Amino acid sequence: STPLRISVDGGIDHKSAARVAGQGGTVLIVGTALFGARDMSAAIRRIRRVAEQAGRRFPAPIFPDRAAR
């Protein structure tokens, strides 16, 4: 059987990522927290770190507009 994916969109940042991942979120859709960050790579690492500390493993982020680069 295919694992169920639970996507959460809205309000995801380094503060909410651990709670969302801990409650079963498997796809975190992050917008403002990344695009408003001075260092997008650092923001991704921080969000990933706190989510993974809640017990979830996440694949590398995909940015469709940059995937070909």
Side-chain angles (χ1 to χ4, degrees):
S1 85
T2 304
L4 179 64
R5 293 183 182 175
I6 300 172
S7 298
V8 180
D9 184 359
I12 302 297
D13 60 18
H14 71 278
K15 295 176 184 175
S16 62
R19 184 177 62 236
V20 170
Q23 293 294 316
T26 58
V27 178
L28 307 184
I29 302 167
V30 184
T32 302
L34 295 183
F35 294 104
R38 287 188 182 137
D39 182 342
M40 188 181 286
S41 294
I44 291 169
R45 287 190 303 273
R46 186 175 188 190
I47 292 167
R48 177 188 299 275
R49 183 177 60 249
V50 299
E52 289 181 347
Q53 287 172 348
R56 288 260 177 240
R57 300 296 294 172
F58 292 91
I62 298 172
F63 299 99
D65 63 329
R66 298 179 186 167
R69 294 183 192 170

